[in-house]
Amino acid sequence: MRWMVYLDTQLGDGFFFVEGGLTALVAIVALFVLPDFPETNTIPWLTLPEHALARRRMFEDADESFSGSESVSFAEAVKGFILATADWKVWYLAIALYFAILSVSFSIYFPTLAATMGYDAVTSLLLCVPPWVAAAVGALWISRHSDRSGERCVHVIIPIVVGIVGFLLAMSTMDVAVRYFSLFLMAQSNAGSICLLAWASAIISNPPAKRAVALALINAISQSSNIVGADFCGFNRDVPLAKEYFTGPEPELGRGAAPRRIRG
């Protein structure tokens, strides 16, 4: 009898390429839509008052009054790279965000976690929607409250602690209601990484070339945790720990039903 509940391989690969293709398309469009610097005057989708307000908020958030040019020379770019790699805060934030994103790698296997409760494939997939809707609402509220209060640390810690509570609940009981509630708590932990990235953007000092390199470096290092989460910490039926995590002993799985393959 199978311990794993997983999406059909071909269907999963298809969704992966669709998601990756859409992400690449949005990134290409962003190259022509997003301005390089706050000082860029040609932003067609912002009025002059909106542009002034956006600049003021960015400078207040960074606690600086920098007013730079719209272009960076090669020498300035190299200097920014050196400054970014020499700043210990960049590496600290990159490592912190790396583990924050690694802690939410369960999202890759969310349908699998939902299906362990013993429902059919369609119901299991539908059960994935409410936790992430609640997570989106929670992330918006926490991010907005963090901006208004000017505080980041507590707003990073609280969602992660909520996620930890969800993990503990999922591993400590086979009750369907409690396990489903734990999915809501797990999903809320994503808000912590969002606030942490905003925090990193605010505390990296100018010049702009340094900030650009620092944010790119932090993002590159932190997002590499998805590789670890998918390949080594994932819901792999060949890994004994994955069999015990969330599923429990086979006879007690979910509502008493054996796990089943979800097909598209």
Side-chain angles (χ1 to χ4, degrees):
M1 188 172 293
R2 298 182 183 275
W3 287 91
M4 280 295 297
V5 184
Y6 55 96
L7 290 172
D8 180 79
T9 303
Q10 294 181 352
L11 179 63
D13 291 343
F15 281 134
F16 175 80
F17 283 110
V18 170
E19 181 183 14
L22 291 175
T23 302
L25 179 62
V26 171
I28 294 173
V29 173
L31 288 174
F32 302 96
V33 174
L34 297 180
D36 294 328
F37 297 98
E39 292 76 21
T40 302
N41 294 321
T42 56
I43 306 178
W45 43 274
L46 283 180
T47 63
L48 290 178
E50 290 173 340
H51 186 192
L53 178 60
R55 290 183 58 186
R56 178 180 176 182
R57 286 178 173 175
M58 292 181 66
F59 295 148
E60 288 178 349
D61 194 31
D63 194 24
E64 297 183 18
S65 58
F66 172 77
S67 180
S69 62
E70 296 186 15
S71 62
V72 176
S73 66
F74 178 77
E76 291 174 328
V78 173
K79 181 180 179 181
F81 176 81
I82 296 174
L83 290 174
T85 54
D87 191 343
W88 67 269
K89 295 191 298 294
V90 173
W91 299 104
Y92 175 83
L93 290 167
I95 294 173
L97 191 58
Y98 175 93
F99 285 106
I101 294 179
L102 180 62
S103 68
V104 298
S105 60
F106 65 87
S107 60
I108 305 173
Y109 308 96
F110 211 77
T112 297
L113 301 181
T116 58
M117 291 183 288
Y119 294 98
D120 60 85
V122 175
T123 303
S124 297
L125 292 173
L126 290 175
L127 287 174
C128 296
V129 177
W132 289 111
V133 172
V137 174
L140 287 173
W141 185 87
I142 290 175
S143 300
R144 185 174 180 83
H145 188 272
S146 177
D147 288 339
R148 286 189 170 185
S149 62
E151 199 282 331
R152 299 293 187 190
C153 183
V154 175
H155 291 81
V156 172
I157 294 175
I158 290 179
I160 294 176
V161 172
V162 172
I164 292 174
V165 173
F167 296 145
L168 294 175
L169 285 177
M171 292 186 291
S172 62
T173 181
M174 300 304 296
D175 182 80
V176 174
V178 176
R179 286 157 66 82
Y180 188 53
F181 176 68
S182 73
L183 296 180
F184 282 82
L185 300 183
M186 291 181 193
Q188 292 296 329
S189 60
N190 282 271
S193 58
I194 296 174
C195 288
L196 184 56
L197 182 59
W199 194 7
S201 176
I203 66 176
I204 300 299
S205 60
N206 283 311
K210 176 189 175 182
R211 292 171 63 94
V213 173
L215 290 177
L217 188 62
I218 291 171
N219 267 311
I221 293 176
S222 62
Q223 293 300 324
S224 66
S225 63
N226 289 314
I227 301 174
V228 178
D231 291 342
F232 300 103
C233 301
F235 222 97
N236 191 327
R237 62 180 175 181
D238 296 324
V239 179
L241 180 61
K243 295 180 180 180
E244 299 175 6
Y245 174 72
F246 206 88
T247 56
E250 183 175 341
E252 301 177 10
L253 182 61
R255 298 166 62 240
R260 54 179 62 83
R261 178 193 296 265
I262 300 181
R263 296 187 180 274

